């Protein structure tokens, strides 16, 4: 499908007009090709100054690219930043802050402040009754299916491993070597599907949620604030803040939510969970899978005799 001109991103428009740009406008084009995200944060005058050109040249530049004005181009870039595009999260005109390409003046303090903000916003937004309902459904489900794509696949894989410690029949979709259809066909009325869909989601996220609900399963979506359409197809949604001080999203809040979810599930079915944990530890010992003896020996060597 061919994009309409109005939907073209900033970089595509610059490339399409680049050879015909006058030198003053070409300098601004070069700046924005390297760091298109700068347009989301700075004024036309500030960008013109950074590129060594005039405000009038900057105005002509954006009109030449097909925008009504600078503000229309800036809104398009802001939408791209919210969507999580690394190209737009990087910056060439700032030394720090969100999307900064340089080293912040207080990198550890700034990182800690953002991580604390993410955790606080994420956990304070979770309604206890919704969490209890989701945990109860996961505990009672015949089978739990966990899915995620791109970066979300890593989070989904970790969630599946933790859930598997607490309860049986937890599957990660799609299984290795399988297409989705072979896995989706087994989702049934007594099941729960947990979809991890952080920003820069694939379109399949919404479709899988739709299919799971059509087949009678309840659905839990772990996502970020940019999600709109997928939330309409989820029984429950847990929203995780992912912003960071760089072009890389932070998933510490998502990991904290997973910890909360699995801990709540364990306490919901504590007798069954403890029995399962005992069986797992017994098998660890029989298979000699973990180097626990070495760890205990080193610990004991450091302790005085009682």
């Amino acid at each position: 499908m061919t994009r309409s001109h109005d939907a073209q991103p900033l970089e595509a428009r610059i490339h399409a007009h680049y050879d015909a740009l006058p030198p003053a406008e070409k300098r601004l084009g070069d700046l924005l090709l390297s760091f298109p995200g700068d347009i989301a944060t700075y004024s036309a005058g500030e960008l013109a100054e950074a590129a060594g050109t005039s405000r009038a040249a900057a105005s002509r530049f954006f009109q030449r690219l097909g925008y009504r004005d600078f503000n229309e181009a800036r809104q398009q870039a802001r939408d791209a930043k919210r969507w999580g595009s690394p190209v737009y999260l990087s910056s060439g005109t700032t030394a720090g802050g969100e999307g900064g390409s340089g080293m912040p003046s207080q990198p550890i303090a700034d990182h800690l402040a953002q991580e604390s903000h993410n955790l606080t916003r994420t956990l304070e937004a979770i309604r206890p009754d919704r969490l209890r309902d989701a945990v109860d459904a996961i505990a009672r489900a015949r089978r739990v299916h966990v899915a995620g794509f791109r970066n979300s696949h890593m989070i989904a894989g970790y969630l599946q491993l933790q859930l598997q410690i607490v309860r049986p029949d937890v599957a990660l979709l799609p299984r290795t070597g399988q297409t989705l259809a072979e896995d989706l066909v087994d989702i049934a009325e007594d099941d729960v599907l947990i979809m991890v869909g952080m920003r820069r989601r694939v379109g399949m996220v919404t479709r899988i949620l739709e299919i799971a609900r059509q087949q009678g399963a309840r659905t839990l979506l772990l996502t970020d604030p940019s999600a709109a359409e997928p939330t309409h197809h989820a029984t429950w949604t847990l929203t995780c803040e992912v912003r960071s001080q760089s072009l890389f999203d932070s998933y510490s809040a998502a990991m904290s939510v997973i910890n909360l979810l699995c801990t709540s599930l364990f306490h919901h079915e504590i007798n069954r969970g403890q029995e399962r944990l005992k069986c797992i530890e017994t098998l660890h010992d029989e298979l000699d899978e973990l180097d626990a003896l070495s760890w205990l020996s080193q610990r004991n060597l450091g302790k005085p005799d009682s």
Side-chain angles (χ1 to χ4, degrees):
M1 182 181 294
T2 303
R3 287 177 182 260
S4 68
H5 183 270
D6 289 344
Q8 279 189 314
L10 176 64
E11 316 95 282
R13 299 189 193 207
I14 295 174
H15 282 299
H17 293 83
Y18 189 81
D19 290 340
L21 291 176
E25 296 177 32
K26 189 169 287 188
R27 289 196 296 274
L28 181 56
D30 289 336
L31 174 67
L32 292 177
L33 281 175
S34 297
F35 301 101
D38 283 348
I39 192 177
T41 308
Y42 295 93
S43 69
E46 289 169 329
L47 288 174
E49 182 179 356
T53 188
S54 67
R55 290 175 62 98
S59 178
R60 291 193 298 271
F61 170 79
F62 289 109
Q63 291 178 1
R64 193 188 305 275
L65 297 187
Y67 295 106
R68 289 191 300 272
D69 52 28
F70 167 75
N71 288 330
E72 183 182 17
R74 181 162 60 179
Q75 185 58 52
Q76 186 186 52
R78 286 175 173 172
D79 290 341
K81 285 173 76 75
R82 281 194 291 271
W83 176 234
S85 169
V87 171
Y88 283 83
L89 290 173
S90 62
S91 172
T93 58
T94 178
E98 183 181 344
S101 62
M103 178 65 72
S105 58
Q106 301 181 82
I108 297 176
D110 291 344
H111 179 80
L112 176 60
Q114 184 65 61
E115 294 290 283
S116 298
H117 172 82
N118 288 353
L119 283 166
T120 301
R121 285 285 299 272
T122 296
L123 296 174
E124 286 184 347
I126 296 176
R127 286 176 44 182
D129 60 329
R130 303 283 285 174
L131 177 65
R132 284 194 299 269
D133 288 346
V135 168
D136 183 68
I138 294 170
R140 297 174 183 274
R142 176 187 69 102
R143 177 175 293 178
V144 177
H145 310 266
V146 185
F149 301 89
R150 305 183 77 247
N151 284 2
S152 296
H153 181 73
M154 173 271 295
I155 304 171
Y158 178 75
L159 173 57
Q160 186 261 341
L161 290 173
Q162 301 311 298
L163 288 174
Q164 198 170 35
I165 294 173
V166 182
R167 57 149 295 153
D169 295 320
V170 183
L172 180 64
L173 309 184
R175 287 173 291 179
T176 303
Q178 291 281 67
T179 56
L180 278 167
E182 287 91 352
D183 289 320
L184 296 181
V185 72
D186 290 327
I187 297 178
E189 187 174 349
D190 295 328
D191 293 354
V192 169
L193 169 74
I194 304 177
M195 172 61 73
V196 183
M198 299 300 165
R199 64 184 182 178
R200 297 191 41 95
R201 290 169 292 280
V202 299
M204 193 64 70
V205 166
T206 298
R207 189 70 187 108
I208 292 172
L209 287 168
E210 289 177 333
I211 291 171
R213 295 202 70 177
Q214 288 168 4
Q215 294 177 195
R218 283 179 286 182
T219 55
L220 171 62
L221 173 65
L222 266 64
T223 189
D224 70 279
S226 73
E229 183 182 5
T231 63
H232 299 315
H233 304 282
T235 312
W236 307 280
T237 299
L238 297 176
T239 303
C240 307
E241 295 286 343
V242 297
R243 289 178 296 173
S244 76
Q245 292 293 312
S246 74
L247 57 88
F248 302 105
D249 282 348
S250 168
Y251 299 121
S252 57
M255 289 299 185
S256 182
V257 169
I258 287 174
N259 187 297
L260 174 64
L261 190 65
C262 293
T263 300
S264 300
L265 178 61
F266 176 76
H267 287 292
H268 185 281
E269 296 286 326
I270 192 163
N271 292 331
R272 186 172 72 169
Q274 284 180 328
E275 286 302 314
R276 184 170 176 83
L277 283 175
K278 289 176 184 177
C279 291
I280 291 172
E281 289 304 309
T282 298
L283 288 170
H284 278 320
D285 291 340
E286 290 181 3
L287 295 170
D288 196 22
E289 290 184 307
L290 305 178
D291 196 12
L293 181 60
S294 173
W295 177 77
L296 287 171
S297 299
Q298 290 176 4
R299 242 185 120 205
N300 290 333
L301 283 173
K303 285 185 176 181
D305 294 333
S306 55

